[in-house]
Every structure is written in C-alpha cells, then in structure tokens.
Amino acid sequence: MSENSGNAMEEMDRRRFSLTGRVFHATLLGSLILGLIVLIIGLGLYTYALVGQYISQSYSISCCAASICEKVADVESFSDSVMGRYRSLSDSEIASMGSRDYRNLFSDLEENPAFGSIHFVLHEFLDAGDVDAVYLATFDEENGRIVYLVDPDDVVSKKLMPGDWQEFKAKTLKKFMHWDGKGKLYDIGKTEIYGWLCMSAAPIKRSDGSTVAFVITDVSLKNFRVGVRTFLIQYVIAMFILINAFCFLMTKHMKKRMVVPINSITQAAQDYILDKCAGISGNNHFAALQIKTGDELENLSVIMAEMEKSLADYEESLTLVTAEKERIGTELSLATRIQADMLPSDFPAFPDRNEFDIYASMNPAREVGGDFYDFILIDDDHLCLVIADVSGKGVPAALFMMASKIVLANTALMNKSPAEILEYTNYLICQNNTEDMFVTVWLGILEISTGKMKAANAGHEYPVIKKKDGQFEILEDKHGFVIGGLEGMKYSEYDLELSPGSKLFVYTDGVPEATDSEGKMFGPDRMLDALNRASDESPYLIITHVQDAVNGFVNGAEQFDDMTMLCFEYKGGASGDGNGASDVLEIEADTSRIHEVYEYIEKKMDGIHCSQKSLMEISVAVEEIFVNIANYAYAPGKGNVIVNAELSRDRTSLTISFSDSGKEFNPLDRIDPDITLSAEERDIGGLGIYMTKKMMDEVFYEYRDGHNVLTLRKDLES
C-alpha cells in the first residue's frame, strides 16, 4: 500500500487495498482452494469408480468365456498340444517367432476342433462386449513369456496365432500364476503397443487344480482419459459459475455488514482529527454513527464514542494540570534561584583578605536541596565556617535549610562559642518543629591571627584535615545529637590548630555515599585518595578534583542525595603567603589595565627562576585571555574580572585562573583553526585561544555559580 494518508489515497489504491476488495479476494481464494480440494476428491472418486467398472466388466467377460470354453472344448488337451510343441523348439526357433516358418510349426493346430470351438466362443464375447481383446493364453513362467493359444481378433495384422509369444512383466506373471482365487484377477499397466490397459483374467484349471490356461480380456483406458477430461471440463465450468456467484453474494453481504460500518468509523475518526486540528470542539463524531450490526463493530463504535468523550474530559483536565505544573515549575525555578542566592557564591569570598582561601559548592539532587554551607566573618579576626545537611530532600528540606541557615548565621554573629551556637540553634528550631525534621551541622570558628579554631559537631560527617606538608586525614571528632532532634541538648567543642599551609575539608554524606549503577558507594577511602592527589592545589581545584572523581565513579548514575563540599586553606596571619603579593586580583575588565595583571603575576613569581620562553608564553596567554574578557564578556557594558595566580608547592608550575560574571561562553568549544591555510583562506577568530592551548600545559573551563572560570597551568622551565 502507498504511504499516503487515507485522504490522499489514489483511486486505484482504494480499489486495490479496500476492505471490499480484500473480502472479495479472500472469498475467491477460499472458494478456489475449496473447489480444488473438492475437485481432487471428486476426481479420485470418479476415477476409482470408473476403473472399478472397467475391472468388473473385463473380469466378468473373462469368467464367462472361461466357463463356456471349458464346456465346449477340451482346453486342457489343446493347451498341452501348443505348449508341447513350444517347449520342443530350440532357442533359435523360438527367437524366430512371427516368421512364416515359425507359424508353420503350429498351423495344423488351427484344424483342431477345440481351436474352432474356443475361437467361436471368444469371438462372440469380443463382439458382444465393449472390450479391446479377448483371448486364450498361458504363461512360460520360467522365461517370463505369455504364449497365445487362441486369438479371435479379425484384424490380420494384430491377430496372434497359436504358439506366438511376448515378453511379460514378471510381477504380473507371478500375480496371475499364483492367484489365491480371492477377489478379481486383474492388472493395470502401460504397454508399448496399446498404451494403458486393464487386463483381467480367468484361469481354466486341470482336475488336479493346476492352471491350464487363462481367458484374458484387455480393456484400453483411453476411454477413461476421455471420461476424466469431460468430467474436468464440466466441473471447472460449473465451479467457475458457482464461485463467481458465491463471491459476489458474499462480498455484497460483507460490505453491508462490515465494510460500510468500518468506513463510517474511519470517516468519523478523520472528521475528529480535522476538527481537533481546526480547534473545533465537539465530542459526538462516533456517537452519531448509530451502527446497529449487533456484533463487535457495534461494540467498537460504542467504545469509540466513549473514548471520544473521555478524551475530551482528559484534555480539559490535562490543560488544568499542565497549567498547574507550569506554575509549580516556575515556583521551583524561583526557589532554586532563591536558595542559590542564600549561599555564598562569589569567589574569592573575601578578596581583601590574604590570610586564607576558601571555596565551596552545593549540587542538589533535585531542583532544590537541604544541604547548605556558610562562612561568616564575625569580626576582623574571627571567621565562622558552617556546613549542614537537612533531613529529607526537595522543597520541605530547602525551606528547613533556609530557616536553619538564618538561625545559625544570626546566632554566630552574637559572639557565642561553637557549642553555644549549636545549643541555641537547637533550642529555637525545636520550638516549632512540628514536622520532626532535623539537621546535622559541623561548625568551626577560626581565630585568623593565630590559626586556632574551636569546632563542634552535631551529628555531621567527620571533617578532613591536612597539616602543612602532610596528607589529608579524617578527624574523628566527638559527635553531638542532631539539631532539632531533641530539646535541651548540650554540645561539646574541641580545638584545632591550623598552621600556614593547613587545609580543612568538610562535606555532606552525599559525597561518600554517591552510588554507581551497581549500587557501590564512593566511600571515604576514595574521597581521601581524590583529596590527596590534589592536596597541593587551591581549595577551588581540590573541590573540582573531588567532584570529577565522584562523577567518574558514578558514571552517569542518578544522584540520590545533595552533594556539598567546603575547602578552607589557612595561609597564616596578617603576613599572608610571604611573597608580598595579594592573594587575588580583582579589577575592571578593561584592556588599559592589562599592566596590572602583569604586575600581579610578576609579584607571584618573584624569586622564581624560569626560562624566557616560559615567561613569554605566559605573557602571551595572559594577554589573550584578559583582552578577550575585556572585549566580549560584558559587551556592551562593563564588569570585573578576578585573576588568581598560584605556584605549586615545589614552585615548578604556575596556575592562573580568570573568573568573570559575563554571559556564559566556553572558548574551548571552538574548533581549532586550520593553520595550514593562508590568513585570507582561514575563518576569522579562534587563533588566540588555539595559541594559548598550545603554549600552556593545561587549559580547562568551568561555568560555576554564574561565573565563567578559565584556568591555565604552565610548567616552568628553568
């Protein structure tokens, strides 16, 4: 069938593939198959009856002729005379059968009175019966021959004389000679001279019961073929008339009972679709059909009418549900933005403070989450760090999270100790916690000038500490009860001593409990391994490395829990990092201020001995990135760019990151230019970032918390 729709079907296709045509073809095919089966059965029965008639007729003639011959002639004596002479002949004489000399050897036997009597009887039966031959013969079983005794045929050329013989089929000869007297003695076979023959025989017995000779009657089956052909012609003509009449009547009946109702349902369906496309309401396309066939088609029309009504009701309900989902989606999107705004997202968080570096991230499992972090500068010398995990997920957890964060932040600003902050927060939350929600909290307050920290843990994960020149290790601190779990809880606090170069990593359970598709957890050991492989990097790079390790482990599996991390690096009191350079540089993204970027990086590299080639490549790359940000990040407006340059611990590599809050753009997505082409043949743009990637040892991009962050790393050659 063509791929056109029902409306666009060609007229030829309609006739060829219509249900009426298919019914006619199926009926015709079924009738032909049935007619063929009936023909085969009828032809078989006709053939069986006709052949049986030939056998009965020829066998009856043979039996009657044999009975009369026995009475009117001495068949036994005559047969012995013929066979006596036959057996006395030499092989050469027998081989000359049919010649004049051979027949002269038996010619006198025709004068025998028995020959005449037998000839007369057989001739009468030949004339009276509708047969081809009636003759008396016996068999030479040893040599497989039939020996003719009397043949009454009037045609001289076909007449066989006494003593004439022919080769005879051994199977038929054996059948005749050893007949048990049951049933009719006959054989049907094909001869070279007469074609297909039905040969029936009646034996003439001696007194001792042995066979003297056989009266044999031959009936040609050529008349049988004529009868069969006539039968076939008559049958085919009759069948053709009957099949056509049957197909016509059946098709007419099926068209009325089935095709017309189906076409009505089809037309109603097309009208329904057209009305829907045109925006026309109405739900009575199928109910108006009024099909009364009393079968499945009537049931189908009723079901379709009910379906049309149900679809109309469903569409009305779906419109309302869709509008409600859009409203909820809008509110969730707004909630996501509100929650994101509740968490510190501008990094460096305190660009004017070079005593420490801090970075944090929160990835909710749903649109909104229950994890949160915070860092609050209580005064010039005290910094409060918080990470927390609210029970549950989604909107309820997010609401509880925001309330908990506000309470913790406000309490921290009251110059209380970590334990007192947790106790007071627990008191306030327990007052109106009708949903029995709770939050785990780790909270620490750092004295910036000395590196001394007091911390308390309310059922949260263990913090991870790295001493200067050491490895990250889990600190199994003392846990108190969760916030909001039980009123009147007391919390203990402990001291941490941070020296310049020390780092603190706190997290929620979504990190170690991140699960892959096989149900395996990321675990604390893998987390520690990821931390230690990036232990000398900045807090931002450390968290990025851990996040990459988790993503690689889960390999796309669904995230079931919020994942929040905070990394803090203590660089010392007011002395900073010891090289006199500010920690980061935040300036207006303007090409006229590129010299400030150069000065900042030179201060960072003060005292570092590296090759002129490395310095030149760093300068070119820095200029390319800064100029691109100045020209395109905020166009046509203006904005700031934050530059952060850090040396590795062994001072053999330099990492520079550029962060801007302009429109999201990843320059690394651009296809590298074909530098084999001339400048006129190449597309404009892309050469600068291509050169930067070639000159730097590592370049990667991230869009994080509304900022484009492009990081360059260069191994310094001495």
Side-chain angles (χ1 to χ4, degrees):
M1 183 174 175
S2 66
E3 296 180 359
N4 296 328
S5 67
N7 290 329
M9 284 178 61
E10 298 291 341
E11 184 64 26
M12 185 61 70
D13 286 341
R14 289 182 181 273
R15 293 179 180 178
R16 181 181 177 188
F17 298 108
S18 67
L19 189 56
T20 304
R22 292 182 182 275
V23 169
F24 179 81
H25 295 152
T27 306
L28 178 61
L29 180 60
S31 300
L32 289 174
I33 293 174
L34 179 62
L36 181 60
I37 294 173
V38 173
L39 173 62
I40 293 173
I41 295 173
L43 186 61
L45 294 174
Y46 177 79
T47 301
Y48 179 80
L50 192 58
V51 170
Q53 180 181 346
Y54 284 144
I55 293 171
S56 297
Q57 178 187 359
S58 59
Y59 183 70
S60 297
I61 292 174
S62 295
C63 290
C64 292
S67 177
I68 295 174
C69 286
E70 282 185 296
K71 294 177 179 178
V72 300
D74 187 358
V75 178
E76 180 179 348
S77 175
F78 179 74
S79 175
D80 289 341
S81 298
V82 175
M83 292 305 294
R85 293 190 185 185
Y86 167 79
R87 291 191 173 92
S88 67
L89 299 177
S90 63
D91 291 340
S92 60
E93 289 175 325
I94 290 177
S96 64
M97 188 275 300
S99 64
R100 183 181 297 275
D101 292 338
Y102 181 85
R103 288 191 169 179
N104 286 337
L105 296 174
F106 297 90
S107 59
D108 61 309
L109 292 175
E110 295 181 8
E111 304 299 328
N112 190 316
F115 177 84
S117 299
I118 295 171
H119 186 280
F120 175 78
V121 172
L122 297 179
H123 192 277
E124 290 297 317
F125 276 99
L126 178 61
D127 289 342
D130 186 16
V131 296
D132 292 277
V134 181
Y135 52 90
L136 181 69
T138 187
F139 294 100
D140 178 5
E141 189 173 5
E142 181 180 353
N143 295 303
R145 298 167 184 163
I146 180 172
V147 181
Y148 296 95
L149 302 178
V150 179
D151 180 12
D153 200 330
D154 293 330
V155 181
V156 177
S157 61
K158 294 172 58 180
K159 184 175 182 179
L160 297 170
M161 304 303 293
D164 285 354
W165 59 270
Q166 288 179 348
E167 298 288 343
F168 205 75
K169 291 185 295 184
K171 182 179 180 181
T172 306
L173 188 150
K174 184 178 180 180
K175 177 181 179 181
F176 280 22
M177 291 299 295
H178 300 281
W179 181 51
D180 58 2
K182 296 178 181 178
K184 299 179 179 67
L185 181 59
Y186 70 92
D187 183 70
I188 297 176
K190 188 176 183 180
T191 64
E192 295 181 2
I193 300 175
Y194 306 107
W196 285 93
L197 288 176
C198 175
M199 178 186 294
S200 299
I204 298 176
K205 302 287 188 177
R206 300 178 189 273
S207 58
D208 60 0
S210 61
T211 301
V212 175
F214 292 88
V215 174
I216 300 173
T217 303
D218 291 342
V219 179
S220 175
L221 296 182
K222 62 182 179 180
N223 293 330
F224 166 76
R225 292 199 301 273
V226 173
V228 170
R229 184 165 57 250
T230 302
F231 171 80
L232 283 174
I233 293 172
Q234 294 173 346
Y235 179 88
V236 168
I237 293 173
M239 188 60 64
F240 176 79
I241 296 172
L242 290 174
I243 286 177
N244 276 277
F246 176 74
C247 290
F248 174 77
L249 295 175
M250 180 59 70
T251 302
K252 185 176 181 180
H253 173 73
M254 293 300 291
K255 184 176 181 180
K256 178 181 178 182
R257 296 288 299 178
M258 185 170 68
V259 177
V260 171
I262 288 177
N263 286 338
S264 299
I265 295 174
T266 302
Q267 186 61 48
Q270 291 177 343
D271 293 342
Y272 174 79
I273 294 172
L274 292 174
D275 287 351
K276 285 297 178 185
C277 293
I280 301 174
S281 60
N283 57 0
N284 62 346
H285 295 83
F286 296 98
L289 294 179
Q290 297 296 318
I291 295 176
K292 302 296 182 182
T293 58
D295 54 16
E296 288 86 349
L297 288 175
E298 181 179 345
N299 188 43
L300 176 61
S301 68
V302 173
I303 292 174
M304 294 296 289
E306 293 175 353
M307 182 193 71
E308 184 178 11
K309 185 177 183 304
S310 298
L311 282 175
D313 296 340
Y314 173 75
E315 287 174 359
E316 182 179 355
S317 175
L318 183 62
T319 301
L320 297 175
V321 171
T322 302
E324 182 65 16
K325 283 187 175 181
E326 289 178 354
R327 184 188 64 80
I328 294 173
T330 301
E331 293 181 357
L332 277 176
S333 178
L334 179 60
T336 302
R337 293 197 299 272
I338 292 174
Q339 185 183 39
D341 292 341
M342 288 287 293
L343 301 179
S345 58
D346 290 331
F347 296 99
F350 306 99
D352 56 337
R353 304 299 295 261
N354 61 355
E355 303 99 324
F356 57 86
D357 186 15
I358 190 170
Y359 185 79
S361 69
M362 197 276 280
N363 295 313
R366 298 181 182 175
E367 290 83 355
V368 290
D371 290 1
F372 68 89
Y373 62 84
D374 205 354
F375 29 84
I376 308 159
L377 198 59
I378 299 174
D379 54 44
D380 287 342
D381 197 34
H382 291 87
L383 176 68
C384 179
L385 303 176
V386 181
I387 190 165
D389 184 0
V390 174
S391 61
K393 301 177 182 65
V395 174
L399 294 173
F400 195 78
M401 161 259 177
M402 287 188 282
S404 302
K405 180 181 181 301
I406 293 171
V407 171
L408 277 168
N410 290 339
T411 306
L413 291 173
M414 296 167 64
N415 289 320
K416 293 179 179 290
S417 69
E420 291 172 339
I421 293 172
L422 295 182
E423 289 169 5
Y424 188 67
T425 301
N426 182 64
Y427 165 75
L428 292 177
I429 289 178
C430 287
Q431 296 304 306
N432 296 290
N433 189 15
T434 57
E435 298 299 322
D436 294 327
M437 298 186 73
F438 62 87
V439 56
T440 66
V441 181
W442 181 93
L443 184 146
I445 297 179
L446 173 71
E447 188 176 54
I448 301 172
S449 59
T450 63
K452 294 180 180 180
M453 174 181 282
K454 287 187 176 296
N457 194 328
H460 198 74
E461 302 291 319
Y462 293 126
V464 182
I465 303 293
K466 174 189 176 297
K467 298 295 185 180
K468 182 179 180 181
D469 301 328
Q471 295 286 305
F472 278 103
E473 296 179 354
I474 292 177
L475 175 64
E476 296 185 0
D477 58 356
K478 185 177 180 180
H479 279 46
F481 201 59
V482 296
I483 301 296
L486 190 63
E487 189 174 355
M489 291 301 302
K490 298 295 181 181
Y491 296 91
S492 60
E493 56 189 40
Y494 58 92
D495 295 326
L496 288 174
E497 191 78 31
L498 300 182
S499 58
S502 297
K503 294 176 182 177
L504 171 69
F505 179 80
V506 287
Y507 54 95
T508 60
D509 57 3
V511 177
E513 293 179 6
T515 306
D516 65 7
S517 58
E518 296 179 356
K520 297 179 181 178
M521 289 188 179
F522 185 66
D525 292 338
R526 290 188 179 90
M527 183 184 70
L528 279 177
D529 181 64
L531 287 168
N532 286 320
R533 280 190 276 116
S535 61
D536 296 330
E537 303 294 345
S538 65
Y540 161 69
L541 292 177
I542 288 174
I543 287 181
T544 300
H545 191 76
V546 175
Q547 185 66 61
D548 291 343
V550 172
N551 292 340
F553 174 78
V554 300
N555 194 25
E558 183 181 357
Q559 180 182 341
F560 292 102
D561 201 358
D562 304 333
M563 194 178 303
T564 304
M565 294 176 279
L566 184 150
C567 187
F568 175 83
E569 179 181 8
Y570 182 65
K571 297 185 177 182
S575 62
D577 60 7
N579 60 11
S582 61
D583 191 48
V584 297
L585 174 67
E586 182 173 3
I587 60 175
E588 183 181 7
D590 191 299
T591 55
S592 64
R593 304 188 66 176
I594 184 65
H595 67 279
E596 296 181 43
V597 180
Y598 289 148
E599 292 173 359
Y600 165 74
I601 294 175
E602 286 174 2
K603 289 180 180 180
K604 281 287 185 176
M605 297 181 65
D606 187 28
I608 302 298
H609 298 286
C610 66
S611 66
Q612 281 298 121
K613 177 184 177 184
S614 295
L615 292 174
M616 183 272 292
E617 290 176 342
I618 291 172
S619 298
V620 172
V622 167
E623 180 182 13
E624 173 62 26
I625 301 305
F626 184 81
V627 170
N628 278 348
I629 294 174
N631 289 335
Y632 304 111
Y634 300 97
K638 293 290 185 180
N640 288 353
V641 58
I642 300 172
V643 184
N644 185 15
E646 293 184 357
L647 288 167
S648 63
R649 190 176 65 174
D650 58 3
R651 302 168 74 84
T652 60
S653 67
L654 177 68
T655 301
I656 308 171
S657 65
F658 297 82
S659 175
D660 67 84
S661 57
K663 55 189 176 184
E664 182 179 357
F665 176 70
N666 182 3
L668 303 183
D669 285 342
R670 186 159 189 169
I671 300 175
D672 292 338
D674 187 355
I675 60 175
T676 61
L677 301 175
S678 64
E680 293 77 15
E681 295 175 318
R682 285 199 308 267
D683 293 334
I684 298 175
L687 187 59
I689 192 64
Y690 173 77
M691 292 173 58
T692 300
K693 289 192 290 185
K694 290 297 182 182
M695 290 185 293
M696 296 293 100
D697 294 287
E698 188 175 9
V699 180
F700 55 93
Y701 167 86
E702 182 184 24
Y703 188 75
R704 181 178 68 248
D705 301 325
H707 287 72
N708 295 292
V709 181
L710 185 68
T711 304
L712 317 177
R713 187 183 63 80
K714 178 66 178 177
D715 293 333
L716 303 177
E717 300 175 2
S718 58

